[in-house]
Amino acid sequence: MTPGEHAPDPRGARSPAEFLARLQALKDWSGLTYRELSARAEARGDVLPRSTVANMLSRTTLPREELLTAFVRACGTGPAALEEWRTVRRELEGRRGYEDAPDPGEAAPETPVPDPHPHPVPEGRHPDPEGPGPAREQLPASEQLPASEEPPAPEELPASEAPPVWPGAPADEPRNPGPGARFRIRRLLVPAVAVAALVFAGVSVVAFLRDGHTGHPPRTPTAPAAGDVRIRVVGTDFCLGERRGTRSGQVYQVPCAAAGVPLYALAEAGGGRWRIASDHPDYGAGCSGLPSGGRVPDAPYEDSECGDPTRVEEFSLEPYGTPVRGYRIVPAGSATPGGCVTVVGDRAAAWSRLAQAPCAPDAAGQLFDFDRRD
């Protein structure tokens, strides 16, 4: 809602289609999402499911008066403006040849929100209890270097097993040195092997922590394909989901065993882009995306209704690494270029949220795979 900007006036509508266009303009003027409109209506004692609003605005027939009343009030208009909307609706309804439409809420299953790129919406939703997952696994103890065996006596050492000549050794050094030389070589060899083992372990731990791994063996990531998916955070036991009972639509990393709200599916949007469809047991069908066109650098990654022109709802799913270690979810057309969907905060903790963040060279917290969901 822009200060000083007047709300759209319904009195210029000459047909149901024009009336619905002005209702859409009223929603845009309010600056509220479908969920926020539903919440405001509930606070006033009205019933305004978000799926009903989406269906109403997608139709070309007049909404019922009680639905219109709840919607216009939720958008923030006063009593006088509300009465104007009601009056125009009654006039249009009374014109010859127009038949009142059934309640969009009742027809919602048969009349989903139109999508220029249709995708299947999963059925058979069942609420899943959510809660924090088990404690994270700890790194295994580093392997100990086995003790070296005593070398054989000089006269028992075969020529084929003589120690190698180290770089920099004198050219005339005997091939089968005495006990003192072999002892010096052993004293040099054991620390060198130990240092090499420590360096290798250190590099492994750094890579382990950098990639957000938590002790899980590497698994071949599942490439994106249209259909029902479970979106997994690479190298963890976390999958994407919402906290049920909240209206924000914020997406978190959730223990995969508890992930199921909402259900996700991939749909091709053309040009190598994808939509990530959500199916929530309480709010119905939606799309994952970024609000406000991604203008905020750390914009939350959230689920909401599909088709909101102010949201980024299409993504490039870009492979990372050779061989591929996972896929980045890159917002297409974001007002903040160079961003990736990222697990922010403590990447080893359940319920860490996802948001837009700069794509990192090491892709830490930014790799996902798309397991097929039966």
Side-chain angles (χ1 to χ4, degrees):
M1 188 182 302
T2 304
E5 182 181 352
H6 295 291
D9 190 338
R11 289 175 292 185
R14 296 292 180 266
S15 67
E18 291 182 5
F19 187 79
L20 267 296
R22 281 165 171 74
L23 282 178
Q24 178 64 60
L26 181 64
K27 177 189 177 297
D28 297 340
W29 171 82
S30 74
L32 300 174
T33 66
Y34 294 117
R35 286 191 181 187
E36 291 169 337
L37 287 170
S38 179
R40 290 187 65 170
E42 184 177 346
R44 291 174 174 267
D46 294 329
V47 177
L48 189 66
R50 67 172 190 167
S51 58
T52 300
V53 178
N55 279 299
M56 176 188 73
L57 295 178
S58 71
R59 296 164 66 93
T60 57
T61 52
L62 294 175
R64 293 187 179 274
E65 186 163 315
E66 59 269 24
L67 174 58
L68 173 70
T69 300
F71 175 78
V72 173
R73 283 166 49 121
C75 286
T77 63
L82 173 58
E83 189 55 37
E84 289 178 356
W85 283 96
R86 287 172 170 170
T87 299
V88 173
R89 183 202 170 278
R90 294 188 193 112
E91 291 175 352
L92 292 173
E93 183 183 21
R95 290 183 181 178
R96 185 175 180 178
Y98 179 74
E99 297 180 358
D100 193 13
D103 189 346
E106 298 173 357
E110 291 77 23
T111 314
V113 181
D115 190 337
H117 312 287
H119 54 269
V121 177
E123 297 181 355
R125 302 184 298 271
H126 298 285
D128 286 341
E130 297 178 352
R136 309 303 303 153
E137 298 179 4
Q138 301 297 322
L139 292 175
S142 58
E143 297 180 357
Q144 297 182 355
L145 185 68
S148 301
E149 297 181 357
E150 287 295 325
E155 61 276 8
E156 298 175 350
L157 186 65
S160 61
E161 298 181 9
V165 178
W166 291 87
D172 56 351
E173 185 173 345
R175 295 284 298 172
N176 204 7
R182 284 197 305 276
F183 181 71
R184 287 194 301 272
I185 292 173
R186 179 171 174 266
R187 284 196 302 174
L188 292 172
L189 179 61
V190 172
V193 172
V195 169
L198 289 174
V199 170
F200 177 78
V203 170
S204 300
V205 169
V206 169
F208 179 92
L209 296 176
R210 180 198 67 189
D211 295 337
H213 293 174
T214 52
H216 302 281
R219 59 194 302 272
T220 302
T222 308
D228 298 339
V229 294
R230 178 186 293 261
I231 306 175
R232 182 185 297 270
V233 184
V234 167
T236 74
D237 279 332
F238 294 134
C239 295
L240 302 194
E242 294 182 41
R243 191 185 295 276
R244 192 170 186 185
T246 63
R247 295 179 177 273
S248 67
Q250 172 68 58
V251 178
Y252 303 88
Q253 64 173 14
V254 184
C256 289
V261 177
L263 301 175
Y264 288 109
L266 289 180
E268 295 186 62
R273 297 180 177 183
W274 297 82
R275 280 192 173 187
I276 302 175
S278 62
D279 188 15
H280 197 285
D282 301 324
Y283 301 118
C287 289
S288 300
L290 303 176
S292 303
R295 293 183 182 86
V296 181
D298 59 345
Y301 179 68
E302 61 185 19
D303 296 326
S304 190
E305 294 76 14
C306 300
D308 188 336
T310 66
R311 302 178 73 236
V312 175
E313 294 182 347
E314 294 185 359
F315 301 89
S316 297
L317 304 180
E318 301 180 354
Y320 176 89
T322 305
V324 174
R325 291 169 42 203
Y327 295 83
R328 282 171 158 163
I329 302 177
V330 180
S334 173
T336 305
C340 286
V341 173
T342 306
V343 179
V344 297
D346 186 355
R347 298 190 182 112
W351 301 106
S352 292
R353 69 184 185 93
L354 275 72
Q356 176 179 244
C359 297
D362 59 0
Q366 298 175 342
L367 296 184
F368 306 89
D369 62 17
F370 302 88
D371 295 348
R372 304 291 184 270
R373 179 169 53 80
D374 298 330

PDB file of all heavy atoms in Angstrom, residues 106-138:
ATOM      1  N   GLU A 106     -15.953 -23.448  -3.035  1.00  0.00           N
ATOM      2  CA  GLU A 106     -16.540 -24.759  -3.226  1.00  0.00           C
ATOM      3  C   GLU A 106     -16.023 -25.423  -4.490  1.00  0.00           C
ATOM      4  O   GLU A 106     -15.935 -26.625  -4.589  1.00  0.00           O
ATOM      5  CB  GLU A 106     -18.063 -24.624  -3.307  1.00  0.00           C
ATOM      6  CG  GLU A 106     -18.688 -24.064  -2.037  1.00  0.00           C
ATOM      7  CD  GLU A 106     -20.161 -23.777  -2.218  1.00  0.00           C
ATOM      8  OE1 GLU A 106     -20.657 -23.958  -3.339  1.00  0.00           O
ATOM      9  OE2 GLU A 106     -20.797 -23.373  -1.239  1.00  0.00           O
ATOM     10  N   ALA A 107     -15.657 -24.603  -5.494  1.00  0.00           N
ATOM     11  CA  ALA A 107     -15.204 -25.161  -6.767  1.00  0.00           C
ATOM     12  C   ALA A 107     -13.699 -25.244  -6.849  1.00  0.00           C
ATOM     13  O   ALA A 107     -13.150 -25.541  -7.886  1.00  0.00           O
ATOM     14  CB  ALA A 107     -15.719 -24.298  -7.921  1.00  0.00           C
ATOM     15  N   ALA A 108     -13.048 -24.984  -5.737  1.00  0.00           N
ATOM     16  CA  ALA A 108     -11.584 -24.920  -5.780  1.00  0.00           C
ATOM     17  C   ALA A 108     -10.941 -26.185  -6.312  1.00  0.00           C
ATOM     18  O   ALA A 108     -10.008 -26.124  -7.106  1.00  0.00           O
ATOM     19  CB  ALA A 108     -11.035 -24.596  -4.397  1.00  0.00           C
ATOM     20  N   PRO A 109     -11.385 -27.417  -5.906  1.00  0.00           N
ATOM     21  CA  PRO A 109     -10.700 -28.599  -6.428  1.00  0.00           C
ATOM     22  C   PRO A 109     -10.805 -28.726  -7.935  1.00  0.00           C
ATOM     23  O   PRO A 109      -9.907 -29.215  -8.579  1.00  0.00           O
ATOM     24  CB  PRO A 109     -11.412 -29.753  -5.706  1.00  0.00           C
ATOM     25  CG  PRO A 109     -12.016 -29.130  -4.478  1.00  0.00           C
ATOM     26  CD  PRO A 109     -12.385 -27.739  -4.898  1.00  0.00           C
ATOM     27  N   GLU A 110     -11.974 -28.289  -8.532  1.00  0.00           N
ATOM     28  CA  GLU A 110     -12.129 -28.426  -9.974  1.00  0.00           C
ATOM     29  C   GLU A 110     -11.515 -27.248 -10.732  1.00  0.00           C
ATOM     30  O   GLU A 110     -11.325 -27.312 -11.923  1.00  0.00           O
ATOM     31  CB  GLU A 110     -13.618 -28.510 -10.350  1.00  0.00           C
ATOM     32  CG  GLU A 110     -14.303 -29.799  -9.896  1.00  0.00           C
ATOM     33  CD  GLU A 110     -14.607 -29.766  -8.420  1.00  0.00           C
ATOM     34  OE1 GLU A 110     -14.699 -28.659  -7.857  1.00  0.00           O
ATOM     35  OE2 GLU A 110     -14.742 -30.843  -7.806  1.00  0.00           O
ATOM     36  N   THR A 111     -11.258 -26.125 -10.019  1.00  0.00           N
ATOM     37  CA  THR A 111     -10.772 -24.932 -10.703  1.00  0.00           C
ATOM     38  C   THR A 111      -9.511 -24.444 -10.016  1.00  0.00           C
ATOM     39  O   THR A 111      -9.536 -23.495  -9.248  1.00  0.00           O
ATOM     40  CB  THR A 111     -11.839 -23.820 -10.683  1.00  0.00           C
ATOM     41  OG1 THR A 111     -13.091 -24.386 -11.035  1.00  0.00           O
ATOM     42  CG2 THR A 111     -11.466 -22.691 -11.639  1.00  0.00           C
ATOM     43  N   PRO A 112      -8.373 -25.101 -10.201  1.00  0.00           N
ATOM     44  CA  PRO A 112      -7.133 -24.666  -9.555  1.00  0.00           C
ATOM     45  C   PRO A 112      -6.649 -23.361 -10.145  1.00  0.00           C
ATOM     46  O   PRO A 112      -7.091 -22.936 -11.205  1.00  0.00           O
ATOM     47  CB  PRO A 112      -6.147 -25.813  -9.867  1.00  0.00           C
ATOM     48  CG  PRO A 112      -6.680 -26.404 -11.123  1.00  0.00           C
ATOM     49  CD  PRO A 112      -8.179 -26.273 -11.054  1.00  0.00           C
ATOM     50  N   VAL A 113      -5.707 -22.745  -9.445  1.00  0.00           N
ATOM     51  CA  VAL A 113      -5.125 -21.501  -9.941  1.00  0.00           C
ATOM     52  C   VAL A 113      -4.439 -21.787 -11.262  1.00  0.00           C
ATOM     53  O   VAL A 113      -3.620 -22.697 -11.354  1.00  0.00           O
ATOM     54  CB  VAL A 113      -4.086 -20.975  -8.924  1.00  0.00           C
ATOM     55  CG1 VAL A 113      -3.484 -19.668  -9.430  1.00  0.00           C
ATOM     56  CG2 VAL A 113      -4.735 -20.780  -7.581  1.00  0.00           C
ATOM     57  N   PRO A 114      -4.775 -21.033 -12.331  1.00  0.00           N
ATOM     58  CA  PRO A 114      -4.153 -21.318 -13.635  1.00  0.00           C
ATOM     59  C   PRO A 114      -2.670 -21.077 -13.578  1.00  0.00           C
ATOM     60  O   PRO A 114      -2.204 -20.127 -12.991  1.00  0.00           O
ATOM     61  CB  PRO A 114      -4.849 -20.328 -14.581  1.00  0.00           C
ATOM     62  CG  PRO A 114      -5.318 -19.218 -13.696  1.00  0.00           C
ATOM     63  CD  PRO A 114      -5.665 -19.868 -12.379  1.00  0.00           C
ATOM     64  N   ASP A 115      -1.944 -21.974 -14.203  1.00  0.00           N
ATOM     65  CA  ASP A 115      -0.487 -21.884 -14.227  1.00  0.00           C
ATOM     66  C   ASP A 115      -0.048 -22.001 -15.671  1.00  0.00           C
ATOM     67  O   ASP A 115      -0.441 -22.937 -16.366  1.00  0.00           O
ATOM     68  CB  ASP A 115       0.102 -23.036 -13.399  1.00  0.00           C
ATOM     69  CG  ASP A 115       1.587 -22.862 -13.182  1.00  0.00           C
ATOM     70  OD1 ASP A 115       2.237 -22.157 -13.981  1.00  0.00           O
ATOM     71  OD2 ASP A 115       2.102 -23.447 -12.215  1.00  0.00           O
ATOM     72  N   PRO A 116       0.741 -21.051 -16.187  1.00  0.00           N
ATOM     73  CA  PRO A 116       1.191 -21.169 -17.571  1.00  0.00           C
ATOM     74  C   PRO A 116       2.021 -22.401 -17.822  1.00  0.00           C
ATOM     75  O   PRO A 116       2.216 -22.812 -18.955  1.00  0.00           O
ATOM     76  CB  PRO A 116       2.007 -19.890 -17.779  1.00  0.00           C
ATOM     77  CG  PRO A 116       2.361 -19.425 -16.421  1.00  0.00           C
ATOM     78  CD  PRO A 116       1.237 -19.860 -15.520  1.00  0.00           C
ATOM     79  N   HIS A 117       2.523 -23.007 -16.753  1.00  0.00           N
ATOM     80  CA  HIS A 117       3.323 -24.235 -16.886  1.00  0.00           C
ATOM     81  C   HIS A 117       2.746 -25.248 -15.911  1.00  0.00           C
ATOM     82  O   HIS A 117       3.216 -25.371 -14.778  1.00  0.00           O
ATOM     83  CB  HIS A 117       4.794 -23.952 -16.562  1.00  0.00           C
ATOM     84  CG  HIS A 117       5.319 -22.734 -17.263  1.00  0.00           C
ATOM     85  ND1 HIS A 117       5.595 -22.701 -18.599  1.00  0.00           N
ATOM     86  CD2 HIS A 117       5.591 -21.502 -16.779  1.00  0.00           C
ATOM     87  CE1 HIS A 117       6.018 -21.517 -18.933  1.00  0.00           C
ATOM     88  NE2 HIS A 117       6.019 -20.760 -17.857  1.00  0.00           N
ATOM     89  N   PRO A 118       1.706 -25.972 -16.305  1.00  0.00           N
ATOM     90  CA  PRO A 118       1.027 -26.856 -15.349  1.00  0.00           C
ATOM     91  C   PRO A 118       1.969 -27.919 -14.823  1.00  0.00           C
ATOM     92  O   PRO A 118       2.897 -28.347 -15.482  1.00  0.00           O
ATOM     93  CB  PRO A 118      -0.097 -27.483 -16.206  1.00  0.00           C
ATOM     94  CG  PRO A 118      -0.216 -26.608 -17.414  1.00  0.00           C
ATOM     95  CD  PRO A 118       1.129 -26.004 -17.637  1.00  0.00           C
ATOM     96  N   HIS A 119       1.693 -28.329 -13.633  1.00  0.00           N
ATOM     97  CA  HIS A 119       2.464 -29.407 -13.030  1.00  0.00           C
ATOM     98  C   HIS A 119       1.532 -30.189 -12.119  1.00  0.00           C
ATOM     99  O   HIS A 119       0.571 -29.652 -11.584  1.00  0.00           O
ATOM    100  CB  HIS A 119       3.638 -28.866 -12.215  1.00  0.00           C
ATOM    101  CG  HIS A 119       3.224 -27.861 -11.182  1.00  0.00           C
ATOM    102  ND1 HIS A 119       3.183 -26.506 -11.478  1.00  0.00           N
ATOM    103  CD2 HIS A 119       2.850 -28.017  -9.900  1.00  0.00           C
ATOM    104  CE1 HIS A 119       2.780 -25.862 -10.403  1.00  0.00           C
ATOM    105  NE2 HIS A 119       2.573 -26.746  -9.432  1.00  0.00           N
ATOM    106  N   PRO A 120       1.834 -31.472 -11.921  1.00  0.00           N
ATOM    107  CA  PRO A 120       0.968 -32.277 -11.062  1.00  0.00           C
ATOM    108  C   PRO A 120       1.075 -31.844  -9.620  1.00  0.00           C
ATOM    109  O   PRO A 120       2.151 -31.509  -9.147  1.00  0.00           O
ATOM    110  CB  PRO A 120       1.515 -33.705 -11.262  1.00  0.00           C
ATOM    111  CG  PRO A 120       2.923 -33.509 -11.688  1.00  0.00           C
ATOM    112  CD  PRO A 120       2.932 -32.219 -12.494  1.00  0.00           C
ATOM    113  N   VAL A 121      -0.049 -31.833  -8.938  1.00  0.00           N
ATOM    114  CA  VAL A 121      -0.072 -31.502  -7.513  1.00  0.00           C
ATOM    115  C   VAL A 121      -0.302 -32.786  -6.739  1.00  0.00           C
ATOM    116  O   VAL A 121      -1.265 -33.503  -6.991  1.00  0.00           O
ATOM    117  CB  VAL A 121      -1.194 -30.491  -7.192  1.00  0.00           C
ATOM    118  CG1 VAL A 121      -1.248 -30.216  -5.715  1.00  0.00           C
ATOM    119  CG2 VAL A 121      -0.951 -29.211  -7.978  1.00  0.00           C
ATOM    120  N   PRO A 122       0.595 -33.126  -5.813  1.00  0.00           N
ATOM    121  CA  PRO A 122       0.454 -34.383  -5.084  1.00  0.00           C
ATOM    122  C   PRO A 122      -0.857 -34.427  -4.321  1.00  0.00           C
ATOM    123  O   PRO A 122      -1.368 -33.413  -3.869  1.00  0.00           O
ATOM    124  CB  PRO A 122       1.665 -34.376  -4.136  1.00  0.00           C
ATOM    125  CG  PRO A 122       2.603 -33.380  -4.720  1.00  0.00           C
ATOM    126  CD  PRO A 122       1.751 -32.364  -5.430  1.00  0.00           C
ATOM    127  N   GLU A 123      -1.391 -35.650  -4.175  1.00  0.00           N
ATOM    128  CA  GLU A 123      -2.624 -35.839  -3.437  1.00  0.00           C
ATOM    129  C   GLU A 123      -2.340 -36.710  -2.229  1.00  0.00           C
ATOM    130  O   GLU A 123      -1.253 -37.243  -2.039  1.00  0.00           O
ATOM    131  CB  GLU A 123      -3.675 -36.503  -4.320  1.00  0.00           C
ATOM    132  CG  GLU A 123      -4.058 -35.633  -5.526  1.00  0.00           C
ATOM    133  CD  GLU A 123      -5.118 -36.299  -6.364  1.00  0.00           C
ATOM    134  OE1 GLU A 123      -5.468 -37.464  -6.048  1.00  0.00           O
ATOM    135  OE2 GLU A 123      -5.592 -35.682  -7.312  1.00  0.00           O
ATOM    136  N   GLY A 124      -3.373 -36.851  -1.408  1.00  0.00           N
ATOM    137  CA  GLY A 124      -3.242 -37.726  -0.255  1.00  0.00           C
ATOM    138  C   GLY A 124      -2.342 -37.145   0.804  1.00  0.00           C
ATOM    139  O   GLY A 124      -1.499 -37.826   1.354  1.00  0.00           O
ATOM    140  N   ARG A 125      -2.519 -35.849   1.108  1.00  0.00           N
ATOM    141  CA  ARG A 125      -1.661 -35.223   2.093  1.00  0.00           C
ATOM    142  C   ARG A 125      -2.038 -35.711   3.478  1.00  0.00           C
ATOM    143  O   ARG A 125      -3.202 -35.888   3.812  1.00  0.00           O
ATOM    144  CB  ARG A 125      -1.800 -33.701   2.017  1.00  0.00           C
ATOM    145  CG  ARG A 125      -1.478 -33.124   0.662  1.00  0.00           C
ATOM    146  CD  ARG A 125      -1.554 -31.628   0.704  1.00  0.00           C
ATOM    147  NE  ARG A 125      -2.885 -31.156   1.027  1.00  0.00           N
ATOM    148  CZ  ARG A 125      -3.816 -30.916   0.123  1.00  0.00           C
ATOM    149  NH1 ARG A 125      -3.559 -31.091  -1.152  1.00  0.00           N
ATOM    150  NH2 ARG A 125      -5.011 -30.470   0.477  1.00  0.00           N
ATOM    151  N   HIS A 126      -1.070 -35.906   4.271  1.00  0.00           N
ATOM    152  CA  HIS A 126      -1.292 -36.284   5.660  1.00  0.00           C
ATOM    153  C   HIS A 126      -0.382 -35.446   6.527  1.00  0.00           C
ATOM    154  O   HIS A 126       0.810 -35.331   6.255  1.00  0.00           O
ATOM    155  CB  HIS A 126      -0.983 -37.770   5.881  1.00  0.00           C
ATOM    156  CG  HIS A 126      -1.872 -38.659   5.071  1.00  0.00           C
ATOM    157  ND1 HIS A 126      -3.186 -38.900   5.393  1.00  0.00           N
ATOM    158  CD2 HIS A 126      -1.625 -39.345   3.918  1.00  0.00           C
ATOM    159  CE1 HIS A 126      -3.713 -39.720   4.490  1.00  0.00           C
ATOM    160  NE2 HIS A 126      -2.785 -39.991   3.594  1.00  0.00           N
ATOM    161  N   PRO A 127      -0.901 -34.826   7.585  1.00  0.00           N
ATOM    162  CA  PRO A 127      -0.051 -34.014   8.457  1.00  0.00           C
ATOM    163  C   PRO A 127       1.018 -34.875   9.089  1.00  0.00           C
ATOM    164  O   PRO A 127       0.759 -36.003   9.523  1.00  0.00           O
ATOM    165  CB  PRO A 127      -1.036 -33.472   9.511  1.00  0.00           C
ATOM    166  CG  PRO A 127      -2.397 -33.643   8.895  1.00  0.00           C
ATOM    167  CD  PRO A 127      -2.299 -34.842   8.005  1.00  0.00           C
ATOM    168  N   ASP A 128       2.202 -34.375   9.142  1.00  0.00           N
ATOM    169  CA  ASP A 128       3.304 -35.051   9.801  1.00  0.00           C
ATOM    170  C   ASP A 128       3.754 -34.203  10.981  1.00  0.00           C
ATOM    171  O   ASP A 128       3.984 -33.010  10.831  1.00  0.00           O
ATOM    172  CB  ASP A 128       4.498 -35.230   8.852  1.00  0.00           C
ATOM    173  CG  ASP A 128       4.228 -36.301   7.829  1.00  0.00           C
ATOM    174  OD1 ASP A 128       3.319 -37.113   8.080  1.00  0.00           O
ATOM    175  OD2 ASP A 128       4.933 -36.318   6.807  1.00  0.00           O
ATOM    176  N   PRO A 129       3.899 -34.778  12.168  1.00  0.00           N
ATOM    177  CA  PRO A 129       4.418 -33.988  13.280  1.00  0.00           C
ATOM    178  C   PRO A 129       5.840 -33.601  12.985  1.00  0.00           C
ATOM    179  O   PRO A 129       6.605 -34.363  12.422  1.00  0.00           O
ATOM    180  CB  PRO A 129       4.332 -34.956  14.473  1.00  0.00           C
ATOM    181  CG  PRO A 129       4.314 -36.319  13.839  1.00  0.00           C
ATOM    182  CD  PRO A 129       3.613 -36.161  12.515  1.00  0.00           C
ATOM    183  N   GLU A 130       6.175 -32.403  13.389  1.00  0.00           N
ATOM    184  CA  GLU A 130       7.519 -31.897  13.161  1.00  0.00           C
ATOM    185  C   GLU A 130       8.190 -31.647  14.492  1.00  0.00           C
ATOM    186  O   GLU A 130       7.565 -31.318  15.486  1.00  0.00           O
ATOM    187  CB  GLU A 130       7.495 -30.598  12.347  1.00  0.00           C
ATOM    188  CG  GLU A 130       6.930 -30.783  10.971  1.00  0.00           C
ATOM    189  CD  GLU A 130       6.890 -29.469  10.235  1.00  0.00           C
ATOM    190  OE1 GLU A 130       7.167 -28.437  10.872  1.00  0.00           O
ATOM    191  OE2 GLU A 130       6.581 -29.472   9.042  1.00  0.00           O
ATOM    192  N   GLY A 131       9.459 -31.719  14.494  1.00  0.00           N
ATOM    193  CA  GLY A 131      10.223 -31.439  15.697  1.00  0.00           C
ATOM    194  C   GLY A 131      11.677 -31.572  15.387  1.00  0.00           C
ATOM    195  O   GLY A 131      12.067 -32.067  14.335  1.00  0.00           O
ATOM    196  N   PRO A 132      12.511 -31.124  16.279  1.00  0.00           N
ATOM    197  CA  PRO A 132      13.939 -31.193  16.018  1.00  0.00           C
ATOM    198  C   PRO A 132      14.402 -32.624  15.898  1.00  0.00           C
ATOM    199  O   PRO A 132      13.868 -33.521  16.548  1.00  0.00           O
ATOM    200  CB  PRO A 132      14.558 -30.484  17.237  1.00  0.00           C
ATOM    201  CG  PRO A 132      13.501 -30.526  18.276  1.00  0.00           C
ATOM    202  CD  PRO A 132      12.185 -30.532  17.570  1.00  0.00           C
ATOM    203  N   GLY A 133      15.360 -32.858  15.060  1.00  0.00           N
ATOM    204  CA  GLY A 133      15.868 -34.190  14.820  1.00  0.00           C
ATOM    205  C   GLY A 133      16.877 -34.606  15.861  1.00  0.00           C
ATOM    206  O   GLY A 133      17.179 -33.880  16.806  1.00  0.00           O
ATOM    207  N   PRO A 134      17.426 -35.806  15.730  1.00  0.00           N
ATOM    208  CA  PRO A 134      18.405 -36.293  16.675  1.00  0.00           C
ATOM    209  C   PRO A 134      19.680 -35.491  16.594  1.00  0.00           C
ATOM    210  O   PRO A 134      19.956 -34.785  15.650  1.00  0.00           O
ATOM    211  CB  PRO A 134      18.632 -37.753  16.211  1.00  0.00           C
ATOM    212  CG  PRO A 134      18.249 -37.739  14.766  1.00  0.00           C
ATOM    213  CD  PRO A 134      17.156 -36.730  14.644  1.00  0.00           C
ATOM    214  N   ALA A 135      20.494 -35.647  17.645  1.00  0.00           N
ATOM    215  CA  ALA A 135      21.764 -34.927  17.672  1.00  0.00           C
ATOM    216  C   ALA A 135      22.623 -35.341  16.508  1.00  0.00           C
ATOM    217  O   ALA A 135      22.580 -36.471  16.028  1.00  0.00           O
ATOM    218  CB  ALA A 135      22.483 -35.221  18.997  1.00  0.00           C
ATOM    219  N   ARG A 136      23.413 -34.415  16.021  1.00  0.00           N
ATOM    220  CA  ARG A 136      24.237 -34.692  14.865  1.00  0.00           C
ATOM    221  C   ARG A 136      25.345 -35.667  15.227  1.00  0.00           C
ATOM    222  O   ARG A 136      25.853 -35.683  16.352  1.00  0.00           O
ATOM    223  CB  ARG A 136      24.882 -33.398  14.339  1.00  0.00           C
ATOM    224  CG  ARG A 136      23.897 -32.275  14.123  1.00  0.00           C
ATOM    225  CD  ARG A 136      22.787 -32.668  13.186  1.00  0.00           C
ATOM    226  NE  ARG A 136      23.330 -33.087  11.931  1.00  0.00           N
ATOM    227  CZ  ARG A 136      22.717 -33.922  11.139  1.00  0.00           C
ATOM    228  NH1 ARG A 136      21.550 -34.416  11.451  1.00  0.00           N
ATOM    229  NH2 ARG A 136      23.275 -34.253   9.989  1.00  0.00           N
ATOM    230  N   GLU A 137      25.758 -36.470  14.254  1.00  0.00           N
ATOM    231  CA  GLU A 137      26.834 -37.417  14.479  1.00  0.00           C
ATOM    232  C   GLU A 137      28.164 -36.686  14.593  1.00  0.00           C
ATOM    233  O   GLU A 137      28.391 -35.673  13.945  1.00  0.00           O
ATOM    234  CB  GLU A 137      26.903 -38.404  13.319  1.00  0.00           C
ATOM    235  CG  GLU A 137      25.639 -39.241  13.176  1.00  0.00           C
ATOM    236  CD  GLU A 137      25.737 -40.182  11.996  1.00  0.00           C
ATOM    237  OE1 GLU A 137      26.812 -40.206  11.366  1.00  0.00           O
ATOM    238  OE2 GLU A 137      24.754 -40.888  11.729  1.00  0.00           O
ATOM    239  N   GLN A 138      29.028 -37.209  15.430  1.00  0.00           N
ATOM    240  CA  GLN A 138      30.330 -36.607  15.623  1.00  0.00           C
ATOM    241  C   GLN A 138      31.347 -37.226  14.671  1.00  0.00           C
ATOM    242  O   GLN A 138      31.186 -38.340  14.193  1.00  0.00           O
ATOM    243  CB  GLN A 138      30.803 -36.816  17.077  1.00  0.00           C
ATOM    244  CG  GLN A 138      29.840 -36.213  18.097  1.00  0.00           C
ATOM    245  CD  GLN A 138      29.753 -34.711  17.942  1.00  0.00           C
ATOM    246  OE1 GLN A 138      30.761 -34.054  17.665  1.00  0.00           O
ATOM    247  NE2 GLN A 138      28.565 -34.174  18.103  1.00  0.00           N
TER     248      GLN A 138
END
